[in-house]
Amino acid sequence: MSRLAAITGAALAKDLRLEWRSKDAINAMLFFALLVVVIFSFSFNPTAEESRQIAGGLIWVAFLFAAVVALNQTWARELRNQVLDAYRVSPAPASALFLSKALGNFIFVSVLEALMAPLFIIFYSLRALGPTWQLIPVSALGTWAIVVNGTFFAAMSLRTRSREIMLPLLLFPISIPALLATVNATTLILTGEASAKVWIVLLLAYDVVFTTGCLLLFEIVLHAE
Amino acid sequence: MKRVFPILGILTAALLSYALYEALIAAPTEQTMGNVQRIFYYHVASAWTAFLLFFINFGASVAYLIRRNPIADAIAVTTAEVGVVFCTVVLVTGPLWARPVWGIWWTWDVRLTSTLVLWLIYVSYLMLRRFSSSGQTPLLAAVLAVFGALDVPLVYFSIWFFRTQHPQPVIGGGGSIDPRMMHVLLLNWAAFLCFAFLVCWSRYRLERLQKDVEEAQALESMVQPGGTR
């Protein structure tokens, strides 16, 4: 177990260092999300009351699209110089590689969310009427739901033609329950109409099911030849 | 084998026409909905057929992941394709019925939405099969089918938290149905199953033939590396 953690940590540290120096993924994601926010903002132009109702959906659609930008680049770096082949022949467990990539993406998307949240508050004049602190577990669970399957499907679409298009085509249908839960939980917290607990439990179940599935099946996908 | 296929085809055609007669003429007219209700025999029969095919697809995908058997993969691709067709029939006949009865084409009800999401998942499955390079297609598709199956209960529960408008299931849902209607429905389902089996069978044979041709071509190019092709 400690070996798994050590390998995961090493691969994660490498990815974070690379990203810190190049800032490829985060810059592209940030600018993309900013564009989505601006376009949504003047195509709807809602009042404060309306924006509480629709902001949950807008925020998560923007984050989902931005996450796809980062997820598409997850494995691109490993293809250059045949790094992925080196992973394949190395004795390191495949699940460690997957975990490090998923955690890396989780960190990138979370940073994006933290940076974009103030913009949403400004553009949509948001003020939550429900328990605001619940937004933190909701966004953590929702982000993990997108990222864990996204990392997995990005590895799968490496083997396809036009892989950049393939990722959202695979990811979106499977993510519908997670998105529905995240958007509804966010809306309920913003409007304060009812408790968001049911949706948080559903998100938790989704995360547990798919994290297990990804970890178990990743080895097959990595070695698919 | 070759003789069985046309015989089965004729039998299926006869059964389908008899079921059509039963559904459109012989079955009693529903009291409140009138003749619109008759679409039910196609809608429900297609739905059951589609779900059965998707279930077989899941079983074949798991079998492929365990045994790496090309037959399992051929069954998986066949059932997915035919299942998507039947699921499309369900999604088209549903709104046709809902418009006069409910007054709306579509509602985000649990059964409608889960069927739509299932359809989306299987369309993405077919897209993956189409876009991936041939050697890895079966494996990736099987993995995606497992993911889709994991998703189904989550889809169902996530939409269940909204209200449900769809009529209760006819079987085991406490709903009551005229036994004559039930008889027609089961007859239609049997005819649809025969038809689905027939289509699946020819698609399966096509898939196997295609694999054989690919293998033969690969073998040929190995035997004469400089040969003209």
Side-chain angles (χ1 to χ4, degrees):
Chain A
M1 198 62 207
S2 63
R3 191 166 147 266
L4 181 83
I7 296 171
T8 309
L12 179 63
K14 178 216 74 167
D15 276 346
L16 290 181
R17 198 176 306 128
L18 269 172
E19 181 58 34
W20 179 251
R21 291 187 186 158
S22 71
K23 300 191 183 64
D24 279 348
I26 200 87
N27 277 341
M29 270 200 307
L30 259 180
F31 190 58
F32 186 82
L34 177 70
L35 289 174
V36 174
V37 172
V38 172
I39 290 171
F40 276 171
S41 179
F42 55 61
S43 47
F44 291 110
N45 197 15
T47 63
E49 195 41 52
E50 285 167 354
S51 64
R52 256 187 217 112
Q53 297 284 346
I54 60 169
L58 295 186
I59 291 172
W60 283 103
V61 169
F63 288 163
L64 177 69
F65 288 171
V68 169
V69 174
L71 289 167
N72 258 328
Q73 296 178 13
T74 312
W75 303 99
R77 202 173 271 144
E78 314 298 343
L79 282 182
R80 264 175 262 146
N81 307 323
Q82 279 78 44
V83 182
L84 204 58
D85 291 332
Y87 275 121
R88 272 199 209 111
V89 293
S90 79
S95 51
L97 176 62
F98 176 78
L99 261 185
S100 71
K101 286 290 179 189
L103 284 172
N105 279 327
F106 180 75
I107 292 170
F108 298 154
V109 178
S110 299
V111 168
L112 165 93
E113 287 170 5
L115 293 175
M116 292 308 289
L119 266 183
F120 269 105
I121 295 170
I122 292 166
F123 275 126
Y124 297 94
S125 55
L126 285 179
R127 196 173 60 83
L129 298 179
T132 316
W133 64 269
Q134 284 186 359
L135 283 174
I136 294 168
V138 166
S139 51
L141 290 172
T143 308
W144 181 252
I146 295 171
V147 154
V148 74
N149 276 345
T151 310
F152 189 86
F153 289 138
M156 262 169 79
S157 43
L158 277 185
R159 311 260 185 277
T160 61
R161 282 176 276 134
S162 54
R163 62 177 83 111
E164 309 254 307
I165 305 207
M166 208 55 223
L167 172 64
L169 294 187
L170 297 177
L171 178 62
F172 290 179
I174 298 275
S175 303
I176 287 174
L179 267 179
L180 193 69
T182 319
V183 168
N184 274 300
T186 310
T187 309
L188 285 179
I189 292 168
L190 287 178
T191 56
E193 274 166 3
S195 164
K197 214 162 267 170
V198 190
W199 295 111
I200 297 177
V201 171
L202 186 86
L203 263 179
L204 198 65
Y206 184 97
D207 284 0
V208 170
V209 166
F210 280 101
T211 309
T212 316
C214 288
L215 286 176
L216 289 179
L217 291 171
F218 184 71
E219 194 159 4
I220 292 176
V221 171
L222 182 70
H223 293 288
E225 266 315 308
Chain B
M1 275 301 250
K2 270 190 183 145
R3 189 125 359 122
V4 181
F5 193 83
I7 297 172
L8 201 68
I10 295 166
L11 278 180
T12 306
L15 194 58
L16 271 176
S17 6
Y18 179 57
L20 182 75
Y21 166 79
E22 284 281 301
L24 292 187
I25 296 154
T29 309
E30 216 267 352
Q31 270 183 350
T32 47
M33 293 184 242
N35 279 328
V36 180
Q37 181 266 343
R38 290 178 194 277
I39 206 168
F40 154 87
Y41 301 115
Y42 298 101
H43 181 71
V44 178
S46 306
W48 288 351
T49 312
F51 295 153
L52 180 70
L53 287 170
F54 289 152
F55 187 72
I56 297 173
N57 171 275
F58 170 61
S61 302
V62 172
Y64 183 81
L65 281 181
I66 297 170
R67 308 285 284 279
R68 304 288 158 94
N69 186 343
I71 292 177
D73 179 59
I75 294 175
V77 62
T78 307
T79 47
E81 282 184 6
V82 181
V84 164
V85 173
F86 275 98
C87 200
T88 313
V89 172
V90 176
L91 289 172
V92 171
T93 50
L96 287 180
W97 171 87
R99 176 68 187 158
V101 175
W102 287 342
I104 40 170
W105 293 106
W106 183 266
T107 172
W108 294 105
D109 156 89
V110 60
R111 273 181 211 89
L112 279 74
T113 315
S114 337
T115 311
L116 178 66
V117 174
L118 196 64
W119 185 83
L120 288 174
I121 290 174
Y122 269 98
V123 171
S124 83
Y125 173 91
L126 293 182
M127 296 284 268
L128 175 70
R129 290 205 78 112
R130 190 153 180 79
F131 276 101
S132 61
S133 40
S134 61
Q136 299 133 354
T137 312
L139 199 64
L140 298 182
V143 169
L144 184 64
V146 171
F147 268 69
L150 290 178
D151 209 32
V152 168
L154 289 160
V155 169
Y156 195 83
F157 280 114
S158 67
I159 304 157
W160 187 57
F161 295 134
F162 293 125
R163 72 208 153 93
T164 281
Q165 192 171 13
H166 193 278
Q168 281 303 303
V170 194
I171 307 295
S176 64
I177 179 171
D178 189 311
R180 279 178 302 167
M181 287 183 176
M182 195 62 219
H183 165 77
V184 176
L185 174 63
L186 289 178
L187 182 72
N188 267 285
W189 191 34
F192 273 46
L193 275 182
C194 278
F195 181 58
F197 178 73
L198 206 65
V199 178
C200 283
W201 189 7
S202 44
R203 180 67 183 85
Y204 172 80
R205 283 202 332 202
L206 179 68
E207 180 70 21
R208 299 287 292 164
L209 269 176
Q210 227 159 19
K211 282 276 138 63
D212 285 349
V213 169
E214 272 168 28
E215 264 172 41
Q217 276 175 350
L219 204 65
E220 195 185 3
S221 60
M222 264 201 306
V223 171
Q224 355 165 247
T228 46
R229 277 271 309 278

